[in-house]
Amino acid sequence: MLIDSYAYTNRMYNVHPVEKLLFAFLTMILCFKFDTYTNIAIIILMFVITVFKAKIPGKVYIKLMLIPFSFLVISIMTLVINVIGNKSTALISFNIFRVTLGITAQGIDTAVILFFRTLAIVSCLYFLALTTPVVDIINILKKFKFPSLFLELLQLIYRLIFVLMQAADEIYISQDSRLGYATLRNSYRSLGLLIFSLFIKSYKNSQDLYVALEARGYNEEIKVLSKDYKLCYKNIIFIVLIELILIGASMLLRR
């Protein structure tokens, strides 16, 4: 529940969710539209706003960013190293099982663009997740007439992810304290038991949740109290100015 707790305790909690949604989604559109320099600027911008404005601890933010970073490093390797037909276009080439693999300048460019674009988009999503409770986001989406079934599933999945992670963590600590991961054989056995126990536990939790909802008069619609926010026109002007600065700087760099 780390992200959820910061969403309720950060310094931007009282800012209207529409303003934060607007800022996050407009910036994400720029990530797709413009080049690497814009994406690097967006990564730095989101770090500054989330850490210094919303007062989310820098260590927490960096740890969260390292999660997609590690996956990205592995993913872009498949873009950098490709099967090539003409060795003269490759910077480095080598043969494996009569197949020529190599690294080309085009492959490196594509990997760099994808790497920074993904990190920029993730930073926008982290800004939204760390500063805005999911209940507020769902209430805004309701006003935009998103299907109620989709929003209910979104809310339930979001909550159950944390419940499942907590259950998995507790089972892992319990197994580890009994030397369940001391050897490779024990590790495979413990991992299998963890997955099996997690499946049983998640099924029971879903049944308990449904019973609890029924006891509270559930009629296929989850009703949650929402806080009243006021739009701040200064913030909207600030958002528009930031987006215009990003667009202007990106267009100048393209020349």
Side-chain angles (χ1 to χ4, degrees):
M1 301 295 283
L2 181 69
I3 293 177
D4 214 29
S5 63
Y6 283 120
Y8 282 96
T9 56
N10 71 88
R11 292 286 181 87
M12 294 182 71
Y13 171 67
N14 291 318
V15 176
H16 201 295
V18 169
E19 295 168 19
K20 290 181 276 190
L21 272 168
L22 183 70
F23 178 58
F25 282 107
L26 285 178
T27 312
M28 272 195 282
I29 291 170
L30 297 187
C31 296
F32 286 105
K33 183 69 178 172
F34 293 108
D35 55 13
T36 304
Y37 297 110
T38 309
N39 289 327
I40 294 172
I42 288 170
I43 293 168
I44 297 169
L45 176 69
M46 288 300 173
F47 174 81
V48 170
I49 293 175
T50 310
V51 173
F52 295 100
K53 177 71 176 171
K55 297 293 181 188
I56 302 296
K59 286 183 181 178
V60 173
Y61 187 83
I62 291 169
K63 279 183 181 177
L64 288 170
M65 286 297 287
L66 284 176
I67 298 170
F69 181 85
S70 54
F71 286 107
L72 270 174
V73 169
I74 298 168
S75 302
I76 62 168
M77 291 305 293
T78 59
L79 291 173
V80 173
I81 303 171
N82 285 309
V83 177
I84 56 171
N86 186 3
K87 284 187 178 180
S88 62
T89 60
L91 301 174
I92 301 170
S93 64
F94 48 92
N95 293 319
I96 296 178
F97 301 117
R98 297 181 182 178
V99 177
T100 304
L101 299 175
I103 299 173
T104 60
Q106 189 182 358
I108 293 173
D109 288 342
T110 306
V112 169
I113 291 169
L114 184 66
F115 179 78
F116 285 107
R117 181 170 290 168
T118 308
L119 277 185
I121 292 168
V122 169
S123 68
C124 294
L125 290 173
Y126 273 146
F127 160 77
L128 192 61
L130 288 166
T131 59
T132 314
V134 72
V135 173
D136 291 338
I137 296 173
I138 287 171
N139 284 332
I140 297 300
L141 294 178
K142 271 183 187 175
K143 291 176 183 175
F144 284 105
K145 305 296 181 187
F146 273 68
S148 59
L149 179 61
F150 168 75
L151 295 177
E152 282 182 24
L153 284 173
L154 184 68
Q155 195 169 351
L156 288 172
I157 290 169
Y158 180 79
R159 294 291 176 196
L160 289 175
I161 283 173
F162 293 109
V163 174
L164 209 61
M165 285 174 65
Q166 188 178 355
D169 193 43
E170 288 171 358
I171 294 169
Y172 176 82
I173 291 170
S174 174
Q175 289 177 326
D176 194 38
S177 65
R178 296 182 178 87
L179 301 179
Y181 295 92
T183 63
L184 187 63
R185 186 179 177 183
N186 283 354
S187 299
Y188 282 127
R189 184 173 176 275
S190 298
L191 184 64
L193 289 171
L194 188 148
I195 293 169
F196 178 74
S197 302
L198 208 57
F199 175 76
I200 300 294
K201 202 172 181 66
S202 60
Y203 178 75
K204 186 177 181 308
N205 283 343
S206 67
Q207 293 296 311
D208 292 344
L209 178 66
Y210 184 74
V211 171
L213 287 171
E214 285 276 295
R216 288 167 174 79
Y218 174 66
N219 60 352
E220 300 183 354
E221 184 182 359
I222 299 174
K223 294 180 180 177
V224 181
L225 291 175
S226 60
K227 185 181 174 183
D228 289 329
Y229 294 94
K230 288 184 180 177
L231 277 172
C232 176
Y233 293 104
K234 284 184 181 177
N235 287 343
I236 293 173
I237 293 169
F238 182 69
I239 291 167
V240 173
L241 278 175
I242 286 180
E243 303 300 333
L244 287 175
I245 289 168
L246 283 171
I247 292 169
S250 304
M251 293 181 77
L252 282 173
L253 286 171
R254 276 187 172 184
R255 290 182 178 179

